[in-house]
Amino acid sequence: MSKIKTRGRVKKYRAAIIGAGRIGSGFDNSRTAAVATHAHAFKNNPRVELVGFFDIQPEKARAAAKKWSVLAYKNLNDLLADKPDLISICTPDADHYPTLLKVLSSKPRLIICEKPLTANIRQARLVAEKIVKMNIPILVNYSRRFDSTIQKCRLDIKKKKYGKVISAVGVYNKGLLHTGSHLIDFARYLFGDVLDCQALNAIFDYHRNDPSVGGWLKLEDCPSLNLVVGDSRYYEIFEMDILLEKARLRFTNFGSVLAVQKIAKDKSYPEFSVLGRPKETAVKLNRAAVGLAGNAVNFLDKKVDLLCAGQDALKTQIVCGDLLKGLKNK
């Protein structure tokens, strides 16, 4: 379905959602300022028509359908038979792989999948091979790629506005795949591909098959990034601290604030350079889904590339797999 005007109106892309839980439907509603779900992102975009939900728990699909004034499909085959242009996969991590295989067989225009791509690297490689062979694009929701403040920060780093990156520290918890993959993809987005990695320790604070792994990464534009892990049984955390030649960049408050400190002269000892007062900018992660839907529409209009294609997600998952493998070898 292309951008065709019908009776003076631009034709919309039809979208359906598999999984009517929190990220699919539950985190917000049509009246909230935050756009934190796939449903709200689609409803918010004038080029998308949300047509319905499917969930293995029918009552969830019916509740989401009522909430967003759309259909509740009785089964996945009914959803696929309706031939939506866009299909969002918002199921639990372990269900991504079988759901992706089923959806790929229907050959939609675009699949949007929550992170991680699959629950393990073997499945991720198989999916990546299939999408290349079948020529079906997948957009993976590593949400920080869709925020304008982070996009500008990335350009500043690439253009060396603050000089070269000296080192960085990333702090997270609640599982390497579940949350750590967000941090690794964030680092890859800012600094380029991972050239080397090493696992150092682990905390089993989320799932027995998904520990939070501490370690070290070397990336194209960051010679040293230390991964520090906390314990989500006490509180959740997600931060990035970047030291450059001319400034310090800190993503704090679960990555919702960017604080920039530029070099200044020490008032008491002017021969020394120190960091000045931080200038803070909001990172609107609670509206990143707007960018997700916008990127999907612009891609289907053949205007832009996907900000996080299946191969991007696979690279992130390979790093996670290497860290887990390194942990087992310790």
Side-chain angles (χ1 to χ4, degrees):
M1 189 180 296
S2 59
K3 188 176 178 181
I4 303 170
K5 288 191 175 182
T6 306
R7 295 181 182 178
R9 293 188 300 174
V10 176
K11 198 167 185 179
K12 294 184 176 184
Y13 296 110
R14 299 172 70 250
I17 298 172
I18 302 171
R22 292 179 296 177
I23 195 66
S25 167
F27 275 137
D28 62 10
N29 59 61
S30 60
R31 297 179 300 278
T32 60
V35 181
T37 62
H38 289 239
H40 199 178
F42 291 147
K43 282 285 191 176
N44 184 74
N45 192 302
R47 293 292 314 288
V48 179
E49 177 191 1
L50 178 61
V51 294
F53 289 87
F54 166 71
D55 196 285
I56 57 172
Q57 299 180 50
E59 65 278 9
K60 280 191 174 183
R62 289 193 295 269
K66 182 178 180 181
K67 177 180 179 179
W68 298 100
S69 302
V70 295
L71 296 173
Y73 294 100
K74 291 182 179 179
N75 55 62
L76 183 53
N77 287 335
D78 285 351
L79 182 152
L80 299 178
D82 203 15
K83 294 293 182 183
D85 302 290
L86 287 159
I87 298 177
S88 274
I89 297 176
C90 302
T91 61
D93 298 353
D95 295 331
H96 286 188
Y97 180 64
T99 307
L100 276 164
L101 293 184
K102 184 77 173 179
V103 172
L104 281 166
S105 68
S106 72
K107 299 181 179 179
R109 297 281 302 277
L110 176 64
I111 299 170
I112 300 177
C113 185
E114 271 301 310
K115 58 76 198 169
L117 186 59
T118 62
N120 63 59
I121 188 61
R122 181 187 66 82
Q123 293 174 348
R125 289 185 188 277
L126 289 172
V127 168
E129 289 173 6
K130 277 188 171 291
I131 63 177
V132 170
K133 185 177 180 179
M134 299 176 72
N135 195 29
I136 298 173
I138 293 183
L139 176 61
V140 181
N141 188 24
Y142 280 110
S143 54
R144 285 159 182 82
R145 290 179 179 246
F146 304 100
D147 175 79
S148 59
T149 298
I150 290 175
Q151 290 167 358
K152 182 181 182 302
C153 180
R154 177 177 184 263
L155 286 175
D156 288 342
I157 290 172
K158 294 294 181 187
K159 292 178 180 178
K160 294 183 171 53
K161 177 179 178 179
Y162 305 112
K164 294 180 181 179
V165 176
I166 299 168
S167 64
V169 176
V171 185
Y172 80 97
N173 55 21
K174 205 172 183 180
L176 176 62
L177 281 175
H178 188 75
T179 302
S181 64
H182 260 302
L183 188 62
I184 291 168
D185 187 79
F186 186 24
R188 287 188 55 251
Y189 184 60
L190 294 178
F191 309 130
D193 283 336
V194 175
L195 305 177
D196 195 8
C197 66
Q198 182 179 357
L200 298 175
N201 67 303
I203 295 175
F204 288 81
D205 63 327
Y206 176 60
H207 190 280
R208 62 185 178 87
N209 293 325
D210 188 14
S212 297
V213 178
W216 169 85
L217 305 178
K218 179 181 179 181
L219 300 100
E220 289 177 317
D221 293 329
C222 179
S224 179
L225 188 153
N226 288 304
L227 291 176
V228 178
V229 291
D231 191 326
S232 63
R233 290 169 293 189
Y234 299 105
Y235 54 84
E236 295 187 28
I237 188 169
F238 187 104
E239 296 188 351
M240 178 84 81
D241 194 350
I242 307 166
L243 301 181
L244 302 101
E245 293 173 329
K246 301 177 183 178
R248 178 189 190 186
L249 310 181
R250 293 186 67 214
F251 289 91
T252 62
N253 295 344
F254 218 76
S256 64
V257 176
L258 168 60
V260 179
Q261 291 176 275
K262 296 181 180 179
I263 292 176
K265 292 296 181 182
D266 188 283
K267 291 181 179 179
S268 300
Y269 303 95
E271 66 270 27
F272 293 112
S273 294
V274 295
L275 292 170
R277 287 181 175 273
K279 180 180 179 181
E280 295 187 347
T281 304
V283 179
K284 297 179 181 178
L285 293 178
N286 63 354
R287 291 187 61 83
V290 173
L292 175 73
N295 185 228
V297 167
N298 288 332
F299 171 79
L300 290 174
D301 283 347
K302 302 187 186 302
K303 291 180 178 179
V304 299
D305 293 330
L306 295 175
L307 284 173
C308 190
Q311 293 299 323
D312 289 307
L314 175 62
K315 286 182 178 181
T316 292
Q317 199 147 345
I318 287 172
V319 177
C320 293
D322 288 344
L323 288 169
L324 287 169
K325 189 186 300 181
L327 189 66
K328 290 178 181 178
N329 293 335
K330 281 193 167 296

